[in-house]
């Protein structure tokens, strides 16, 4: 509604999760979940990116996740997206702490903050600069997604109930429709 170019970066494709619509698991489920994300992006107009991380199932800690993921490879993928997109604002969907529950979510939150710093540093992932023609990029603002009023510090609040006459619905309705595209995760909403 504000005319901003937006993108989502999914660290993995959800291959290790449950499937509420069929028998597919692992790679097959990854294909389904990729298509669900792309269907949601058709609704909201955002771009969709992924890293090479594989969802190997539920983990309780970041440490457990990092035993199975190549941290530098995934971090490099995230830096590449930041350098390609050149965002002014990044919203980190996870805190990078145990509050995120799932260990892969914890790592996503941690690596997001590392990637933001690394993207601005020409000494980090210099091959992206030399071979891919990307340039270092400094993000202007970073926001964390919070659902409770418990966090302190500066806040940005948005009225998602605003009706958009061009869309013929509110942004909350658009978001619910997009979330309903994630059928394999039983995210459907009324």
């Amino acid at each position: 509604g504000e005319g901003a170019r937006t993108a989502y970066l999914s660290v993995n494709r959800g291959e290790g999760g449950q499937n509420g619509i069929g028998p597919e698991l692992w790679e097959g489920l990854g294909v389904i979940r990729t298509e669900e994300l792309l269907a949601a992006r058709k609704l909201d107009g955002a771009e969709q990116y992924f890293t090479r991380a594989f969802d190997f199932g539920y983990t309780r800690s970041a440490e457990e996740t990092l035993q199975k993921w190549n941290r530098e490879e995934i971090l490099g993928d995230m830096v590449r997206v930041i350098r390609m997109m050149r965002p002014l604002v990044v919203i980190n969907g996870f805190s990078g702490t145990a509050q995120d529950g799932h260990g892969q979510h914890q790592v996503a939150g941690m690596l997001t903050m590392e990637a933001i710093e690394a993207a601005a540093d020409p000494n980090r992932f210099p091959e992206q600069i030399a071979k891919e023609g990307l340039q270092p990029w400094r993000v202007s603002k970073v926001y964390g997604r919070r659902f409770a009023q418990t966090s302190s510090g500066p806040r940005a609040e948005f009225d998602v109930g605003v009706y958009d006459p061009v869309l013929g619905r509110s942004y909350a309705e658009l978001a619910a429709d997009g979330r309903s595209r994630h059928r394999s995760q039983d995210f459907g909403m009324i």
Side-chain angles (χ1 to χ4, degrees), residues 70-143:
N70 182 327
R71 181 186 194 121
E72 283 299 300
E73 179 180 87
I74 296 165
L75 184 62
D77 291 345
M78 296 171 84
V79 167
R80 180 177 290 107
V81 171
I82 292 170
R83 288 177 174 170
M84 285 174 24
M85 284 289 304
R86 302 172 71 84
L88 298 175
V89 175
V90 169
I91 300 171
N92 191 350
F94 299 106
S95 67
T97 69
Q99 286 181 322
D100 296 328
H102 193 323
Q104 293 180 38
H105 294 170
Q106 293 175 41
V107 172
M110 291 168 32
L111 291 183
T112 297
M113 298 311 294
E114 288 182 37
I116 289 166
E117 287 197 26
D121 183 349
N123 297 312
R124 297 296 313 270
F125 304 99
E127 70 282 357
Q128 294 177 0
I129 297 167
K131 295 179 182 175
E132 299 174 38
L134 299 175
Q135 294 299 313
W137 181 254
R138 183 166 308 281
V139 172
S140 298
K141 290 193 180 268
V142 179
Y143 292 105

Side-chain angles (χ1 to χ4, degrees), residues 167-188:
L167 295 174
R169 56 186 167 172
S170 73
Y171 299 117
E173 290 172 312
L174 177 67
D177 193 1
R179 220 168 139 73
S180 292
R181 304 300 160 136
H182 298 276
R183 293 181 54 226
S184 68
Q185 296 185 59
D186 292 327
F187 277 178

